[in-house]
Amino acid sequence: MQKLIITAALTGAEVTREQQPTLPVTPDEIAAAAKECCDAGASIVHVHARDAAGEPTQDIAVYREIKEKIEACCNVIFQPSTGGAVWHSPEERLQPVELKPEMSTLSCGTCNFGGDVFMNTESYMEKFAARMKELGVKPELEIFERGMIENALKLAKKGLVEAPLHFDFVLGVPGACPATPEDLLLMKNAIPAGSTWTVAGIGRHELSLGTMAILMGGHVRVGFEDNVFYSKGVLASSNAQLVARMVRLAKELGREVATPDEARHLLGIKK
Ligand code: KMH
Ligand code: ZN
């Protein structure tokens, strides 16, 4: 089995300091959390920027500051979000790709997102994919529903994303695909051979689906964007605490954890 790639989704667009008092929000806090997670065993950090008021922003200047601060302190793969928050325009969302990060996310369809709609029309998916390709940014294909895999494959057929594809199954978002073991199997069995995949289980499902992925040869995403708790009713003390638990589980289950450079090799990213 491949070594395990652990992604830490540090901040997200929806979580607040009220829900998680140690949520990293400023560029300094996000960079410090990235280093802590990298030291704990994460090889990718998925990043959402926040403005001075702590609100989600897709401002390229804020992403630039975060990228530079992370690069100055650790070797982790920087993966900015192009999902942003549900109310960001596609043009706002695409901004961090212009920084030519090693990776960025590419959401592969529209779904309900709690009481909101997360909008990803075909034309915008194509635009995002084309720009990532032009700039040499490896897309992580975000899959919130089964049909989104077909949308991703359509992008591949048009040459806008290239094999080997890398998928992230985001399971358990209210309004989208639930986070059952059967759903994860369905997703995993629907992607082309030779692809890599990771799973982001929302809330308590982070632990169960992450454990399944370790056993199934997939990869794992943890962090406050997806889950703020360590166990029922007990807040996690940091993103790194959630990473460290996955490292321990992987060790117990006989799966080695990838370094950032090993993750680059597995994902076909040239530094
Ligand atoms: N915040 C969600 C609406 C991504 O980062 O690419 C979208 C999201 C996906 O988080
Ligand atoms: Zn995100």
Side-chain angles (χ1 to χ4, degrees), residues 2-7 34 38 41-45 67 70-80 100-103 136-140 163-166 196 219 257-271:
Q2 289 179 339
K3 288 192 181 181
L4 180 71
I5 299 170
I6 301 177
T7 301
C38 183
S43 43
I44 301 174
V45 287
K67 181 174 183 278
I70 291 176
E71 283 169 358
C73 67
C74 63
N75 184 35
V76 78
I77 299 169
F78 170 67
Q79 182 202 80
K100 298 188 188 173
E102 292 180 274
M103 293 183 93
V137 179
K138 168 97 181 178
E140 177 175 277
L165 303 176
H166 177 63
T196 49
H219 303 282
V257 174
T259 64
D261 284 339
E262 287 168 342
R264 286 181 178 96
H265 180 70
L266 290 171
L267 296 169
I269 295 172
K270 287 174 209 82
K271 204 182 176 192

Side-chain angles (χ1 to χ4, degrees), residues 143-185:
I143 306 297
F144 296 77
E145 287 282 11
R146 168 68 181 86
M148 294 188 189
I149 295 175
E150 305 313 303
N151 295 340
L153 298 183
K154 210 166 161 187
L155 292 175
K157 218 169 176 181
K158 291 183 175 174
L160 295 169
V161 294
E162 284 169 346
L165 303 176
H166 177 63
F167 294 87
D168 177 27
F169 306 132
V170 186
L171 302 183
V173 170
C177 185
T180 69
E182 290 78 10
D183 285 296
L184 179 58
L185 283 171

Side-chain angles (χ1 to χ4, degrees), residues 104-265:
S104 70
T105 51
L106 172 54
S107 288
C108 290
T110 297
C111 62
N112 281 18
F113 198 89
D116 297 303
V117 174
F118 182 36
M119 185 66 79
N120 294 285
T121 63
E122 187 172 27
S123 62
Y124 275 112
M125 285 186 273
E126 290 181 358
K127 194 173 167 199
F128 280 35
R131 193 64 186 142
M132 288 179 202
K133 190 177 171 191
E134 275 165 15
L135 296 175
V137 179
K138 168 97 181 178
E140 177 175 277
L141 304 163
E142 305 299 306
I143 306 297
F144 296 77
E145 287 282 11
R146 168 68 181 86
M148 294 188 189
I149 295 175
E150 305 313 303
N151 295 340
L153 298 183
K154 210 166 161 187
L155 292 175
K157 218 169 176 181
K158 291 183 175 174
L160 295 169
V161 294
E162 284 169 346
L165 303 176
H166 177 63
F167 294 87
D168 177 27
F169 306 132
V170 186
L171 302 183
V173 170
C177 185
T180 69
E182 290 78 10
D183 285 296
L184 179 58
L185 283 171
L186 182 79
M187 297 282 189
K188 186 236 167 210
N189 289 333
I191 60 175
S195 306
T196 49
W197 61 274
T198 190
V199 68
I202 302 301
R204 66 193 161 86
H205 304 292
E206 181 175 280
L207 180 57
S208 51
L209 294 190
T211 309
M212 276 184 73
I214 293 172
L215 294 167
M216 289 161 64
H219 303 282
V220 177
R221 182 170 112 172
V222 295
F224 290 165
E225 174 166 346
D226 304 327
N227 166 48
V228 296
F229 292 102
Y230 189 79
S231 56
K232 193 173 163 71
V234 180
L235 286 171
S237 57
S238 64
N239 279 293
Q241 186 191 30
L242 298 170
V243 172
R245 172 164 63 184
M246 279 301 156
V247 171
R248 286 198 303 278
L249 279 168
K251 210 170 176 186
E252 286 293 323
L253 296 168
R255 186 106 184 257
E256 282 185 79
V257 174
T259 64
D261 284 339
E262 287 168 342
R264 286 181 178 96
H265 180 70

